[in-house]
Amino acid sequence: MTDRPRDSLAALESARLDWQRDDGDLDTPHSLTFGDVYFSRQDGRAETEHVFIDGNDLPRRFREWRDPRPFVIGETGCGTGLNLLCAWACFDRHAPPEARLHLVSTEKYPLTRADLSRALAVWPELAEAAARLVAQWPEPVAGVHRLWLAPRVTLDLHFGDSAECLAALDGRVDAWFLDGFAPSKNPQMWQPALFEAMASHSRPGATFATFTCAGVVKRGLKAAGFAWRKVPGFGRKREMLAGEIATPADDDARRATPWFTPPAPRPASHVAVIGAGLAGASVAHALARRGVRVTLLDREAPGAGASGNAQGALYIKLAVAPNAHSRVYLAGLLHSRRWLEALDPEGALWQASGVLQLANDAREAERQGRFLAQYGLPETVVAGVGGAALAERGGLPAALFAAERALDYPAAGWVRPQALCQRLAATPGVSFQHGEVEAVTPQADGWRLALTDGASLDADQVVIATAQLANRFAQTASLPLQPIRGQVSQVALPPQAPAPSRVICAGGYVPPPCDGRLTFGATFAPHDQGDELRETDHAANLAELERTLPGYLEALGTAGVDLDPARMDGRAAVRAASPDKLPYAGPVPDAEAWQHDYAALAKDAKRVPATPGAHHGGLWISAAHGSRGLASAPLCAELIASRICDEPLPLPAALADQLHPGRRLIRELIRLTHR
């Protein structure tokens, strides 16, 4: 493969397997890249139980686990997923019913879904668990992919080099499965950087186990601060290694950015979420899934604001060259797709129709060409299409496509945002309450919310998710938000009218019809907070639809569709965006403290104080999702819920920092040095 920048979103090379062994065994996968087997041909599951499950003393530790946070297992080399499934089975057998398990596994050469299914078919007793893993198995794209294996079991697959993935991990581990092909077969993995990353992300008392006793492994573990001992191995391997962290590593991950140091965990038995749009409702759902009691407040109803459209597009537009924005939004798109499949497998709330992003002029066509050359993503995520394929995939006559090229996102589609918010608000453990919050005040043991009707509500922690109103509170006033009015138009669509089968977008967008209506738009009016329907905006949406698909309006009119803006239906709402067009997702910074603690940055951006960032403890925000909330809000909800519940994050640390609400404060201070 061509070398790409480290922040590239390139596809990874899938594992190359040989299933034909010398002994005739067709069920043992053998790596052609490393010349080694994925598991013991004697009894792979028994080997995993001996080396990793018993080597980390997991049955006893699971039985005794009483922490509110999950028990975290970290693994180098996911392979077939056998180790993870065995750990999950052990957890189900031994852990108390309130316990949770969080699995973190790295993999540079992920198996294809077909190979994964074939490899795990050897163990019928794991069939149900294996089916859940296979069903959610992600595309081979570098980054973090969160899977929900069971109500109590979460898996984060970190696709990429093990040492690099673990160095970027935002989270800490209780037990390590140090797996991977033998050091002699895969020397590039068993490097000091790997052991150092393990040490820096180990909790006090974290254990490890590995099948190998190679000298490079023993030396690397000891140098990183682990104490190891030889214990009996499995099968023909007389010995293996097990041990624990003896000398915790210095936490210097935040030395360059101390302001992003996360606040210390605090109780979260009851969390109040202000705002029941997609941002707030998805946070409420994420917390309730973890057993947290949630009060969801809104002055109207779930999905009443900018998330109240009957239909919305799940799509993204990535920069020509990979950057932080692209990495966040691609991760968000893939996350939302898995999340929707898990939440609504019947597809009542969404459709994976795909999205065609048209190149309606030469400049956009050239941009798309450069985009495809830069990224190298699998065609199951995005592909360049042209000619007859546009009409075939778009479901409309070829004559309507002025574009000769387009980007096709098969994993994207459309969603019913209002119905989705209502479903999320009905999650067991979430209590919806009408009310408008005018102030939040810290208390000795949490927060008090003052409502405009004179009532109050106490909670351990609070999440603010009120779109353009999110900075109306004293604690969030320093966060700049730009209101943006958007209006969509709707027309009744008779059965004989032509309709797209994919979401088609250029300057605007038009998804496939929903409930007999065609929706298209949307206008984009910064600093406009009006939510009334405007005939001029309907006219603007019609004009944009004509630019996107020349001749489509004529075809609709011929089919009897009423396209008079004066009689057209639709919906207008106000979205919110940040200055850098990324959401705010994380703890609310204490702006006054930051301006004091990091004042030196205004004189010299290289003078970084060691002071950790001060935050309003237990106060969080999810806002500024703009017009891409369907691709960002669910991932941001997981990020916030993971922070609150002291779990590993669903994004690499650097990308979580890009979403931190305090980033604007630091940028403003540094900007002063250039004035």
Side-chain angles (χ1 to χ4, degrees):
M1 295 179 65
T2 303
D3 288 340
R4 298 180 183 274
R6 286 190 59 171
D7 68 344
S8 170
L9 295 170
L12 297 178
E13 181 183 343
S14 294
R16 296 185 301 115
L17 305 184
D18 176 13
W19 296 88
Q20 179 68 55
R21 303 296 297 144
D22 292 339
D23 56 9
D25 184 354
L26 299 176
D27 294 317
T28 303
H30 174 264
S31 171
L32 294 175
T33 302
F34 296 102
D36 204 354
V37 292
Y38 277 85
F39 45 74
S40 168
R41 279 175 282 144
Q42 295 174 290
D43 189 337
R45 183 175 182 184
E47 179 183 44
T48 289
E49 297 280 355
H50 177 85
V51 175
F52 299 113
I53 306 303
D54 295 337
N56 280 288
D57 194 19
L58 292 186
R60 178 192 63 80
R61 295 171 76 184
F62 285 159
R63 281 195 301 271
E64 297 175 359
W65 190 252
R66 297 296 184 274
D67 283 16
R69 69 171 179 84
F71 188 96
V72 180
I73 293 174
E75 178 185 43
T76 61
C78 178
T80 64
L82 175 61
N83 297 341
L84 303 177
L85 297 187
C86 290
W88 176 9
C90 178
F91 178 81
D92 278 350
R93 285 195 303 272
H94 299 287
E98 68 277 6
R100 292 185 296 122
L101 176 64
H102 196 114
L103 304 164
V104 174
S105 184
T106 67
E107 181 55 61
K108 189 174 182 179
Y109 299 96
L111 271 67
T112 65
R113 187 171 290 187
D115 283 342
L116 183 71
S117 179
R118 181 176 177 181
L120 293 174
V122 175
W123 297 284
E125 67 274 22
L126 296 176
E128 182 179 350
R132 294 187 192 180
L133 176 63
V134 171
Q136 296 185 59
W137 193 250
E139 300 299 328
V141 176
V144 184
H145 306 269
R146 175 157 291 184
L147 283 59
W148 300 273
L149 298 179
R152 299 193 301 153
V153 182
T154 300
L155 166 61
D156 286 343
L157 286 170
H158 292 242
F159 281 175
D161 176 81
S162 290
E164 292 182 5
C165 288
L166 292 181
L169 172 67
D170 195 319
R172 293 191 294 166
V173 170
D174 297 291
W176 292 98
F177 294 176
L178 187 48
D179 202 359
F181 296 110
S184 60
K185 305 281 188 178
N186 185 19
Q188 59 266 43
M189 190 193 87
W190 303 85
Q191 296 291 324
L194 174 68
F195 307 120
E196 291 164 5
M198 289 172 56
S200 64
H201 292 90
S202 290
R203 288 188 180 271
T207 62
F208 79 89
T210 181
F211 62 89
T212 182
C213 284
V216 66
V217 176
K218 291 185 287 187
R219 291 189 296 272
L221 286 167
K222 182 177 180 180
F226 288 93
W228 57 262
R229 58 187 175 275
K230 291 183 178 180
V231 297
F234 177 82
R236 284 181 267 181
K237 293 182 179 178
R238 293 177 53 194
E239 296 176 318
M240 54 173 268
L241 296 180
E244 55 282 320
I245 190 75
T247 307
D250 292 333
D251 187 8
D252 61 355
R254 296 293 179 187
R255 188 169 296 168
T257 56
W259 38 84
F260 291 143
T261 303
R266 53 191 289 164
S269 298
H270 176 213
V271 175
V273 179
I274 308 171
L278 183 59
S282 56
V283 169
H285 169 77
L287 289 168
R289 285 181 54 254
R290 291 163 166 82
V292 177
R293 181 168 64 92
V294 179
T295 299
L296 179 62
L297 300 107
D298 197 284
R299 61 184 179 183
E300 296 183 56
S307 301
N309 288 353
Q311 189 178 21
L314 170 62
Y315 78 107
I316 56 177
K317 186 171 183 178
L318 303 177
V320 170
N323 58 20
H325 285 66
S326 295
R327 296 176 72 197
V328 167
Y329 278 107
L330 179 61
L333 173 65
L334 299 177
H335 178 94
S336 288
R337 174 64 189 266
R338 288 190 303 275
W339 179 73
L340 286 165
E341 287 177 336
L343 178 71
D344 177 33
E346 298 82 14
L349 301 174
W350 67 291
Q351 291 294 314
S353 64
V355 168
L356 281 176
Q357 199 171 89
L358 303 183
N360 270 358
D361 55 44
R363 181 178 179 182
E364 178 61 17
E366 188 270 340
R367 193 198 80 87
Q368 290 189 3
R370 288 189 289 125
F371 165 86
L372 291 170
Q374 286 274 349
Y375 281 70
L377 290 165
E379 292 191 352
T380 48
V381 174
V382 61
V385 296
L390 288 178
E392 180 183 343
R393 300 191 188 198
L396 289 171
L400 298 181
F401 288 90
E404 295 182 358
R405 301 292 303 171
L407 296 177
D408 185 23
Y409 288 84
W414 61 269
V415 180
R416 300 174 186 260
Q418 186 178 55
L420 175 59
C421 291
Q422 292 168 350
R423 169 78 70 87
L424 297 173
T427 302
V430 177
S431 174
F432 177 75
Q433 179 177 328
H434 280 100
E436 183 174 1
V437 180
E438 63 180 3
V440 291
T441 307
Q443 305 292 301
D445 55 353
W447 290 85
R448 176 157 296 171
L449 286 66
L451 279 61
T452 54
D453 63 1
S456 64
L457 174 73
D458 291 342
D460 298 320
Q461 303 197 45
V462 176
V463 182
I464 298 169
T466 48
Q468 81 277 12
L469 303 178
N471 60 1
R472 296 287 180 89
F473 299 99
Q475 297 86 352
T476 57
S478 65
L479 303 180
L481 285 167
Q482 181 187 60
I484 302 171
R485 168 190 160 86
Q487 180 172 312
V488 296
S489 303
Q490 290 182 332
V491 294
L493 202 68
Q496 70 273 17
S501 56
R502 266 171 162 73
V503 178
I504 297 175
C505 59
Y509 72 95
V510 54
C514 175
D515 298 331
R517 300 173 70 80
L518 186 72
T519 298
F520 54 95
T523 59
F524 186 89
H527 306 294
D528 187 338
Q529 300 197 52
D531 61 0
E532 74 286 356
L533 283 177
R534 299 174 185 170
E535 184 178 333
T536 54
D537 280 11
H538 285 319
N541 284 335
L542 286 168
E544 188 59 55
L545 183 56
E546 177 65 18
R547 283 190 291 270
T548 300
L549 295 167
Y552 188 39
L553 293 184
E554 181 181 354
L556 290 176
T558 301
V561 177
D562 185 354
L563 297 173
D564 187 340
R567 294 189 296 270
M568 200 168 287
D569 198 3
R571 191 172 187 277
V574 180
R575 304 183 293 268
S578 68
D580 62 10
K581 302 303 184 285
L582 278 174
Y584 296 131
V588 175
D590 184 334
E592 185 176 345
W594 281 41
Q595 288 162 355
H596 173 270
D597 293 342
Y598 307 122
L601 296 175
K603 298 179 180 179
D604 182 355
K606 295 181 179 179
R607 291 178 57 190
V608 178
T611 309
H615 296 85
H616 295 286
L619 186 64
W620 309 81
I621 187 169
S622 179
H625 294 280
S627 59
R628 300 289 184 269
L630 288 167
S632 62
L635 178 58
C636 289
E638 277 294 301
L639 187 153
I640 290 171
S642 296
R643 279 278 191 234
I644 290 176
C645 297
D646 196 16
E647 305 169 357
L649 297 193
L651 280 172
L655 291 190
D657 290 351
Q658 289 286 335
L659 298 172
H660 193 291
R663 65 185 187 269
R664 298 300 308 175
L665 296 171
I666 297 300
R667 289 175 190 172
E668 287 300 321
L669 284 170
I670 292 176
R671 190 173 289 124
L672 293 175
T673 65
H674 301 293
R675 291 181 180 175

